[in-house]
Amino acid sequence: MSDLIERVEVLVSRPARNYVTLRLTTRDGIVGLGDATVNGRELAVASYLRDHVGPLLIGRDPGRIEDVWQYLYRGVYWRRGPIGMAAIGAVDVALWDILGKRTGQPLYALLGGRVRDRLATYRHALGWDLPALLEQVDAHREAGFDNIRVQTGVPGLDIVYGISSGPVYEPAGRGAAPVEETWDTDSYLRHIPGVLAAVREHVGDSVGLLHDVHHRLTPIQAARLGKAVEPVGMYWLEDVTPAEDQEALRLVRQHTTTPLAIGEVFNTVWDCQQLISNRLIDYIRVAVVHAGGISHLRKIFALAEVHGVQAAPHGPSDVSPVSLAASIHLGIATHNFAIQEYMGYPDLVHEAFPHAWHVAEGHLQPGDEPGLGVSIDDDLHNPEDYEPAYLPVARRRDGTLTDW
Ligand code: GCO
Ligand code: MG
């Protein structure tokens, strides 16, 4: 058969930042791409793909997408986890890409076709202080974006999640070992409600405001914050507590009507099954790359739809343009998909992954090329460019390690 998988390549590269990309090629030359980037742990997933998954794919029928997923998930015996699920996700996305190219259809057409004309997105505004933050908020509004995530410095702290000294924030890449940040919850809780209220005052009612707490609070602290910012009318508060404790959200929920978003570190439907079926969140943030690809995300989103929860996937710079493409195609074809995060990329990343998806009038569009509509510029994917780059860790003032 001419359409079986013949070649499996795992590209580890650093066009401005580290990415792991899977490239599958069939005997008749159709190429499918998948993103397998796990920020700060790139080589582990590359080895999983090269050493264990790749050899099993050679000679396999790329059209049996669900069967390959089950083979790689159930067949391995060991379950879940970010490394294994990113590898499965990369294979899944590459197979969908191949199917699109073989049938000449953009992916969204194979996923049921458009349910909306354009996909809502949000951009990041960051600033150490309010004037700097408002400047970025205004810039995004002028560029046509209606939904903005706001992150700001905290008095007394030197480094804070989501903020950098320059205009662009990059979570990883600050050296060969993780940077250690100091965290102080009381200072944060005293400061942030006033900042969010001031941003609301500045932008008026028509802008969606989002804020990422990045897993820093206990349930009762999260409940207090949610309640304090109710007058701001937030689009959402994100990751208020460490996400693996699903029951914690019940307490938060009992105290506040501020919408809650969670799930960027989840890998499977079983990580969010209680959260969704008990309606403890409003938005589920699983990403194509980290939660088993398009096939598995569709199941999570279907469960969410039944329970009135909306999809809003993770989309920072460490989710490559390949994954972002998959998410945009899925978003344009999924009824309960609310919004796609789009942090943006350095120019070199756009050049390394030429893509049909694009921003138009403050919204995302998948483009109409067959499959994902993303290709690779091989010259910009040099394995020698890879450098270890870790996400930071955080300690409380007394030195206790806490959630970053
Ligand atoms: C977000 C995220 C990111 C993560 C990063 C980890 O909401 O965009 O929280 O900023 O921290 O993707 O690799
Ligand atoms: Mg986040």
Side-chain angles (χ1 to χ4, degrees):
M1 275 168 78
S2 63
D3 60 350
L4 302 183
I5 298 169
E6 184 176 65
R7 188 149 30 116
V8 178
E9 294 163 279
V10 181
L11 316 175
V12 178
S13 58
R14 188 180 176 82
R17 71 166 334 286
N18 293 329
Y19 290 110
V20 180
T21 310
L22 176 71
R23 177 161 58 190
L24 302 181
T25 310
T26 64
R27 286 184 191 165
D28 55 354
I30 297 186
V31 169
L33 297 178
D35 174 25
T37 308
V38 178
N39 207 2
R41 295 292 186 272
E42 296 84 4
L43 300 184
V45 68
S47 159
Y48 192 90
L49 279 168
R50 277 187 188 130
D51 300 333
H52 300 290
V53 173
L56 304 178
L57 296 176
I58 309 283
R60 212 161 275 279
D61 177 356
R64 293 184 61 173
I65 301 176
E66 179 66 18
D67 184 61
V68 170
W69 196 98
Q70 299 294 342
Y71 181 69
L72 294 177
Y73 182 82
R74 294 180 199 284
V76 72
Y77 182 62
W78 311 107
R79 304 287 162 103
R80 304 158 72 176
I83 304 302
M85 294 307 291
I88 294 175
V91 174
D92 183 77
V93 170
L95 296 183
W96 278 103
D97 194 19
I98 289 172
L99 182 65
K101 287 175 180 157
R102 186 167 299 290
T103 57
Q105 301 276 331
L107 209 69
Y108 71 79
L110 301 177
L111 297 172
R114 280 180 184 268
V115 296
R116 54 182 55 87
D117 301 329
R118 54 193 198 158
L119 189 62
T121 186
Y122 67 89
R123 303 305 304 270
H124 294 192
L126 53 107
W128 274 104
D129 53 21
L130 191 59
L133 177 59
L134 294 180
E135 211 174 286
Q136 288 210 3
V137 167
D138 291 345
H140 286 312
R141 292 196 67 200
E142 275 155 32
F145 296 101
D146 296 334
N147 301 293
I148 303 172
R149 178 184 110 149
V150 291
Q151 304 294 139
T152 191
V154 174
L157 300 182
D158 294 338
I159 314 175
V160 174
Y161 163 76
I163 302 290
S164 69
S165 43
V168 178
Y169 168 73
E170 167 55 52
R174 299 182 196 162
V179 166
E180 299 219 351
E181 300 178 358
T182 304
W183 177 245
D184 184 337
T185 301
D186 288 341
S187 305
Y188 168 77
L189 280 178
R190 267 195 299 276
H191 185 63
I192 197 70
V195 173
L196 296 175
V199 177
R200 169 61 74 210
E201 176 80 25
H202 179 79
V203 296
D205 290 339
S206 61
V207 175
L209 295 179
L210 305 86
H211 175 68
D212 192 345
V213 184
H214 226 252
H215 328 275
R216 303 291 167 91
L217 303 178
T218 65
I220 200 68
Q221 289 166 341
R224 189 175 128 206
L225 176 62
K227 210 167 170 176
V229 300
E230 274 171 22
V232 179
M234 300 291 295
Y235 190 114
W236 77 42
L237 278 182
E238 175 177 334
D239 287 341
V240 286
T241 54
E244 58 269 38
D245 183 2
Q246 298 186 46
E247 263 310 294
L249 273 297
R250 193 180 295 283
L251 188 143
V252 184
R253 198 57 146 181
Q254 278 162 359
H255 292 281
T256 181
T257 56
T258 292
L260 303 173
I262 225 158
E264 64 184 49
V265 301
F266 292 158
N267 313 124
T268 66
V269 70
W270 296 285
D271 302 325
C272 47
Q273 189 178 7
Q274 284 168 257
L275 281 176
I276 292 174
S277 55
N278 293 323
R279 303 170 195 264
L280 300 179
I281 53 171
D282 301 282
Y283 299 94
I284 178 71
R285 293 208 5 98
V286 282
V288 169
V289 45
H290 300 128
I294 292 169
S295 300
H296 198 62
L297 243 63
R298 289 176 90 195
K299 294 175 189 176
I300 299 176
F301 294 170
L303 179 71
E305 184 177 14
V306 173
H307 294 94
V309 173
Q310 299 195 71
H314 194 204
S317 57
D318 47 292
V319 164
S320 95
V322 174
S323 267
L324 198 71
S327 210
I328 295 169
H329 281 272
L330 192 56
I332 216 87
T334 301
H335 186 262
N336 63 324
F337 199 110
I339 196 164
Q340 172 62 53
E341 178 182 20
Y342 178 44
M343 178 174 161
Y345 299 104
D347 290 345
L348 197 58
V349 177
H350 292 290
E351 287 162 33
F353 298 94
H355 51 82
W357 62 260
H358 56 277
V359 172
E361 294 173 353
H363 289 71
L364 291 165
Q365 289 290 355
D368 285 315
E369 285 183 17
L372 292 169
V374 183
S375 56
I376 288 264
D377 180 340
D378 275 285
D379 293 342
L380 298 176
H381 289 274
N382 181 354
E384 278 160 25
D385 293 342
Y386 172 78
E387 277 173 33
Y390 291 96
L391 292 170
V393 298
R395 292 185 187 276
R396 293 189 208 122
R397 287 197 186 280
D398 69 357
T400 311
L401 200 89
T402 187
D403 296 270
W404 174 71

